[in-house]
Amino acid sequence: MMMGAQAGDFYRDCDLTWGGQRAKISEGGQLLTLSLDRYSGSGFQSKNEYLFGRIDMQLKLVPGNSAGTVTTYYLSSQGPTHDEIDFEFLGNLSGNPYIVHTNVFTQGKGNREQQFYLWFDPTKAFHTYSILWNPQRILFLVDNVPIREFVNKESMGVPFPNKQAMRIYSSLWNADDWATMGGRVKTDWTQSPFTASYRNFNANGCAWSSVKSSCASTTTTSSTTSSDNTWQTQALDASGRQRLEWVQKKFMIYNYCTDLKRFPQGLPPECKN
């Protein structure tokens, strides 16, 4: 079963799903662009579904005045009790930082938002955004720097996404009712079309087919070498833990685990160390 194979080929690995000509694959499958205008946004999804894996994607976000726009890149299953692991990039006025919004849904319930600024301008060059999802934890990484960890705490009664295969989705759409300054700053359509660019998509994981995982077999194909399967048991080492703490101390701007107003009955159990 293919598990991401060679360097990303969007023709091979993805389907353009909506937005008509606003979603385009070029450069022989190496580049994908999504555009948004006042009539529609656009999106794509992976051909494969996965139950655990490491997903890497390089993105260059909408430049200039991107207020009101949202670029999403996430894993999701289907149905009312879906699981989901989200990166959302909330546009802003020129010169102001993008907000990286993260969330984890299990069995249809989210409300686990953490938000960050970045330590670079994500519109000037491509940067790698990764989701590592194994049975023990979920890691959100930016240029291989961990920004968030969601640990499996099923033993404490916290649901963890480990039973539903998920597809990779991405979209660029207008959300000016909430995306920028809580909806106070609207999309400036004179700046459209807005365009986000993608390259080097690599899904190194357990592809799911006919209710069976490719990782159930004794041999697993990986994108380069067998060492690529380290994601299956990967955890943060001491330096990874330090980098996570650095990001959360300097760049985190919202953490549901400290929002006492939102949880007057007490913080969710996974928030307690």
Side-chain angles (χ1 to χ4, degrees):
M1 184 53 127
M2 187 193 79
M3 303 212 316
Q6 326 71 278
D9 178 342
F10 286 111
Y11 286 122
R12 180 193 64 211
D13 296 335
C14 296
D15 292 315
L16 305 179
T17 47
W18 64 284
Q21 292 300 306
R22 295 171 187 83
K24 289 191 180 88
I25 298 173
S26 60
E27 297 183 10
Q30 299 304 295
L31 182 72
L32 189 153
T33 54
L34 295 181
S35 291
L36 161 71
D37 57 34
R38 64 171 67 246
Y39 304 105
S40 178
S42 50
F44 68 92
Q45 67 185 41
S46 64
K47 291 184 191 289
N48 277 336
E49 291 181 290
Y50 300 88
L51 187 63
F52 305 122
R54 175 172 174 141
I55 315 300
D56 299 292
M57 183 85 79
Q58 289 196 316
L59 278 77
K60 185 159 65 170
L61 297 176
V62 175
N65 179 3
S66 57
T69 71
V70 173
T71 307
T72 68
Y73 155 52
Y74 61 101
L75 288 164
S76 183
S77 61
Q78 296 299 304
T81 58
H82 76 291
D83 294 339
E84 192 173 311
I85 304 169
D86 284 343
F87 268 115
E88 295 188 10
F89 303 93
L90 311 185
N92 220 324
L93 293 168
S94 302
N96 288 351
Y98 258 81
I99 290 173
V100 180
H101 175 98
T102 65
N103 203 353
V104 176
F105 285 76
T106 49
Q107 298 168 21
K109 278 194 65 177
N111 301 325
R112 297 194 181 104
E113 301 91 345
Q114 290 183 355
Q115 293 184 339
F116 306 84
Y117 288 140
L118 292 166
W119 48 96
F120 53 83
D121 182 343
T123 71
K124 295 282 193 247
F126 283 93
H127 291 268
T128 303
Y129 302 89
S130 307
I131 294 168
L132 186 148
W133 169 40
N134 65 29
Q136 298 84 39
R137 63 187 41 78
I138 296 162
L139 290 172
F140 294 80
L141 305 114
V142 177
D143 290 336
N144 225 29
V145 174
I147 65 168
R148 177 174 184 179
E149 179 182 41
F150 185 80
V151 176
N152 184 339
K153 294 188 176 175
E154 283 184 312
S155 59
M156 297 169 56
V158 179
F160 187 82
N162 55 14
K163 296 175 184 66
Q164 301 185 70
M166 295 200 259
R167 206 178 289 278
I168 299 136
Y169 297 89
S170 190
S171 59
L172 173 58
W173 51 288
N174 177 43
D176 67 2
D177 55 333
W178 63 269
T180 307
M181 304 282 289
R184 295 195 298 280
V185 182
K186 300 299 182 186
T187 304
D188 178 1
W189 293 112
T190 66
Q191 306 289 317
S192 71
F194 303 96
T195 300
S197 303
Y198 300 76
R199 71 180 188 194
N200 290 342
F201 166 53
N202 188 45
N204 181 16
C206 301
W208 187 260
S209 156
S210 307
V211 298
K212 195 173 84 178
S213 165
S214 63
C215 291
S217 63
T218 50
T219 58
T220 59
T221 331
S222 69
S223 54
T224 50
T225 66
S226 59
S227 65
D228 274 10
N229 292 329
T230 53
W231 63 264
Q232 293 181 357
T233 54
Q234 190 171 334
L236 290 175
D237 59 14
S239 70
R241 182 75 48 202
Q242 282 180 332
R243 287 188 294 173
L244 177 71
E245 288 170 3
W246 170 74
V247 171
Q248 297 200 337
K249 188 175 172 186
K250 288 186 69 83
F251 300 103
M252 182 186 276
I253 55 171
Y254 177 79
N255 181 6
Y256 78 106
C257 276
T258 59
D259 192 343
L260 296 168
K261 282 189 191 154
R262 187 172 173 190
F263 300 103
Q265 307 305 312
L267 294 170
E270 70 269 20
C271 294
K272 301 168 181 67
N273 289 329

